[in-house]
């Protein structure tokens, strides 16, 4: 099961999750934001085994104003990550260490580093 289109907000994520059935093997759901405080409640609802942050960039700069605030907001996805879960992070991004530390603090047991930089998985 996966999110149709960009069902990544406070309405779309619950709708996507409602597509899960008892025998569903796995689901892939996008959790998006454009304001502070939007990701954490959706992550707590979804309770992912794996959480992915593709990048921290200016695409959400409008309401959050700084990359630091974007990184902080996106990092709240780890609040819902199941203990022992996996975080997949962009190793090339300047916020990798920040995000990895938060993921570990929330109980991630594995960090997968993706990117072109030496040391990526």
């Amino acid at each position: 099961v996966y999110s149709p289109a960009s069902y990544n907000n406070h309405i779309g994520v619950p709708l996507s999750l409602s597509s899960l059935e008892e025998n569903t093997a796995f689901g892939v759901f996008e959790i998006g934001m454009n304001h502070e405080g939007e990701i954490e409640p959706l992550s707590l609802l979804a309770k992912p085994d794996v959480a992915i942050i593709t990048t921290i960039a200016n695409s959400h700069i409008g309401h959050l104003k700084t990359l630091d605030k974007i990184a902080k907001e996106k990092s709240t996805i780890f609040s819902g990550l199941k203990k022992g879960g996996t975080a997949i992070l962009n190793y090339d991004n300047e916020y990798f260490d920040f995000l990895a530390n938060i993921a570990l603090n929330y109980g991630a047991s594995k960090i997968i580093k993706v990117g072109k930089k030496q040391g990526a998985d």
Side-chain angles (χ1 to χ4, degrees), residues 2-79:
Y2 57 91
S3 300
S6 288
Y7 279 37
N8 63 5
N9 64 14
H10 64 284
I11 296 170
V13 171
L15 282 173
S16 296
L17 289 170
S18 71
S19 299
L20 291 169
E21 296 180 8
E22 191 173 325
N23 64 346
T24 301
F26 61 90
V28 178
F29 305 105
E30 178 184 2
I31 296 177
M33 61 87 181
N34 55 25
H35 291 87
E36 283 183 72
E38 292 182 331
I39 290 178
E40 185 172 19
L42 297 174
S43 181
L44 291 169
L45 184 65
K47 297 181 181 112
D49 295 299
V50 177
I52 303 169
I53 297 178
T54 54
T55 197
I56 304 299
N58 288 325
S59 57
H60 298 105
I61 203 82
H63 295 288
L64 296 174
K65 306 287 188 228
T66 69
L67 289 176
D68 288 349
K69 287 184 179 181
I70 293 169
K72 185 173 186 230
E73 176 61 23
K74 285 190 172 192
S75 75
T76 65
I77 195 166
F78 302 121
S79 65

